[in-house]
Amino acid sequence: MPDHPEKRTVKVCIIGAGPAGLLLARLLEQCGIASVVLERRSREHVEKRVRAGLLEWSTVEAFRAAGVAHRLDRHGMVHDGMELRHDGAAFRLAFSELTGVPMVVYGQQEIVKDLIGARLESQGEIHFGVTDVRICQVGVDGSLVQCTLDGIPVEISCEFLAGCDGHHGVSRAAIPAQRRSSHQWAYPFAWLGVLAKAPPLSPELIYAVTDRGFALQSMRSPDVSRLYLQVPPNEPIHLRSDEEIWHELDLRLTGGTGKLPTGTITERVLVGLRAHVEEHMQYRTLFLLGDAAHIVPPSAAKGLNMAVADARLLAEGLDHWYRSGRRDLLDGYQSHSLRRAWHGQEFSEFMTSLLHVSPGESAAQRRMRRARLDLLRRSSTAATAFAEQYVGLSRP
Ligand code: APR
Ligand code: PHB
C-alpha cells in the first residue's frame, strides 16, 4: 500500500457479499445508513455458488420486508411437511399443522442474485474482486480498512465494520487473540451433494436414514432435484460415477425400487460436516455476522437462516444508534446472537446424530437412534418440539 492511499469515509463498511453482508447492506439502505460492500470474489462467482436453500418463514419475511422477495414469492417452493424414512418405514412430519408455519425451498444463490440486483438498482456501493481487504485498525470510535478498488489503493475510514466474510475471511482475526475464544468440532462424515435435471421424487423433503448412511431429497424447481448422500469425509468428489450416485440414492431413498427419477447431474459438491462458534462476535466497532461467527453442519439447513437473523439484529442496532444515539441494542448484539447460535447449533447437532450412521457405531447406539426416530412418529409432543425447532420458531 503506498504512503498516500485515497481516503474515503463511510458509516458502515461491510466485508463479504454473501447473504449476511448483502442483506445488512439492504436493510441499512432502507434506514438511510450509507455502507460499502467489499467482496473478494467476482459477481459471477458469488451468484453461481450453489449452497443450501431451505428458508424458515421468518427468513422469507425478512426478504419481503427488505423488498427483495419478488422472485422468491414466485419461485419459492412452499411446503408443509417433511418425510422421515427409516427401517423400511416412512412417516410425514406435518410441521405446518404442528406449528402454523410452512418452510420454503429457494436456492441461496438466487437470494444472492436478488440482493445484488437490488443493491445495484439502488446504486448502493458494492465492489467485487477486492482481493486485498486489510483491517488496519479497530477502534472504539471507528475502524480503518485498506484495499484496492478499481486499481486505486484506498483507505476506508468507517464508523462500524461488519465482518460478513464467512469462515475463511479476515474479520475474525481482527479481534485480538486474547479477546477471542471459540469452539469447533468436526463430524466423521461428509455430504456429497448433487444438483440434477430430474423432477423431485416428492414435493416435500425426504430425510432417509439407512444402515448404508443418510440420504436427503430436496429440490430447486419442479424439474430440478437437489440430493445429498452421506459419504466418508475424505472421499474424492469424483470417486463415484453418476450412475453409482443414482444407484446409491435410489437404494437409500426408495429401498432400491428404481422409483427415484434420474437425470443429468449438473453440479457436485462435497460438504464437510463441522461446527464452529466464535464466543466474541463484537469488539469495539467490529461485529461478526453469519458464517464468520458460527457455522453449523448442514443437516438442518440453519446456516443461511442464522446469517439472516444476524443481519436483521445488527441493522436494528445500528438504526437505533443513528436515530437515538443509544448503544443498548448494539451492545446486546453479541449476547442475543450467540444465544441464538447455540440453539441453532444444538438442533443441528441433534439432526446430525439422528440422521447419520457414524463409523464404528455400536449396535446399542444404532438402536437408540432408531428409538429417537420412532419417538417422533409416536409422540405428538416430541414431533411438535422437533417441528418448532425445524421451522425455527423456538430459536431466540
Ligand atoms: N474479503 C472480502 N470478501 C471475503 C473475504 C475477504 N477477505 N473472505 C471471504 N469473503 C467473502 C466470500 O467470498 C463470500 O462471498 O465473504 C462472503 C461470505 O459469504 P458466505 O460464505 O455466503 O457467508 P454468509 O453471508 O455468512 O452466509 C452464510 O452461507 O456458507 C453458507 O451455509 C452457509 O447458508 C450459510 C450462509
Ligand atoms: C437443500 O435444499 O439444499 C437442503 C435442504 C434441507 C437440508 C439441507 C439442505 O437439511
Side-chain angles (χ1 to χ4, degrees), residues 50-55 79 82 103-108 191 194-195 205-207 214 216-220 225-228 297-302 351 355 390:
V50 178
R51 300 266 185 83
L54 184 62
L55 311 189
H79 55 284
M82 51 111 110
M103 295 286 275
V104 179
V105 166
Y106 186 68
Q108 181 170 315
W191 282 12
V194 298
L195 197 65
L205 275 65
I206 303 174
Y207 294 82
F214 166 68
L216 168 62
Q217 183 245 232
S218 181
M219 57 279 182
R220 290 294 178 265
S225 295
R226 179 74 169 155
L227 300 136
Y228 298 94
S299 319
K302 293 295 166 226
M351 282 280 276
L355 300 173
Y390 187 77

Side-chain angles (χ1 to χ4, degrees), residues 49-306:
R49 208 162 36 191
V50 178
R51 300 266 185 83
L54 184 62
L55 311 189
E56 295 171 354
W57 196 250
S58 65
T59 299
V60 172
E61 284 182 334
F63 290 127
R64 285 185 177 165
V68 292
H70 316 296
R71 287 198 321 130
L72 165 60
D73 281 334
R74 204 153 4 108
H75 303 295
M77 302 175 84
V78 182
H79 55 284
D80 298 310
M82 51 111 110
E83 200 173 293
L84 274 162
R85 295 189 175 182
H86 71 107
D87 301 310
F91 74 98
R92 180 170 182 267
L93 200 134
F95 48 72
S96 280
E97 216 173 278
L98 295 168
T99 66
V101 183
M103 295 286 275
V104 179
V105 166
Y106 186 68
Q108 181 170 315
Q109 80 276 21
E110 301 303 323
I111 287 166
V112 166
K113 274 185 216 161
D114 297 341
L115 285 164
I116 290 175
R119 180 77 177 168
L120 293 173
E121 201 180 303
S122 61
Q123 298 183 345
E125 199 177 350
I126 181 164
H127 300 270
F128 294 97
V130 189
T131 53
D132 61 347
V133 174
R134 206 161 67 85
I135 299 174
C136 308
Q137 192 187 313
V138 179
V140 283
D141 295 321
S143 295
L144 273 185
V145 169
Q146 287 186 341
C147 61
T148 308
L149 301 182
D150 304 320
I152 302 167
V154 296
E155 182 174 87
I156 301 171
S157 160
C158 58
E159 292 170 15
F160 294 98
L161 188 54
C164 306
D165 47 351
H167 189 64
H168 302 289
V170 291
S171 302
R172 217 152 23 102
I175 298 181
Q178 67 274 19
R179 299 292 295 270
R180 284 179 60 193
S181 80
S182 62
H183 308 268
Q184 55 230 296
W185 61 96
Y187 295 88
F189 30 77
W191 282 12
L192 175 62
V194 298
L195 197 65
K197 284 186 185 151
L201 175 63
S202 150
E204 295 183 343
L205 275 65
I206 303 174
Y207 294 82
V209 184
T210 79
D211 289 348
R212 302 179 66 86
F214 166 68
L216 168 62
Q217 183 245 232
S218 181
M219 57 279 182
R220 290 294 178 265
S221 77
D223 309 309
V224 176
S225 295
R226 179 74 169 155
L227 300 136
Y228 298 94
L229 274 180
Q230 175 189 348
V231 297
N234 300 317
E235 180 172 302
I237 190 163
H238 290 293
L239 181 76
R240 297 170 199 244
S241 67
D242 287 2
E243 293 68 36
E244 284 167 332
I245 291 176
W246 284 119
H247 179 67
E248 192 62 34
L249 283 166
D250 186 61
L251 276 178
R252 296 188 195 181
L253 284 163
T254 79
T257 59
K259 285 191 182 142
L260 181 70
T262 59
T264 310
I265 291 179
T266 54
E267 177 111 28
R268 283 186 191 210
V269 63
L270 197 75
V271 187
L273 269 70
R274 60 205 170 100
H276 183 113
V277 179
E278 205 59 48
E279 288 283 338
H280 295 277
M281 294 180 62
Q282 70 189 84
Y283 172 67
R284 296 183 172 169
T285 43
L286 166 66
F287 293 81
L288 302 181
L289 292 83
D291 274 16
H294 38 71
I295 48 175
V296 286
S299 319
K302 293 295 166 226
L304 168 64
N305 296 288
M306 287 159 66

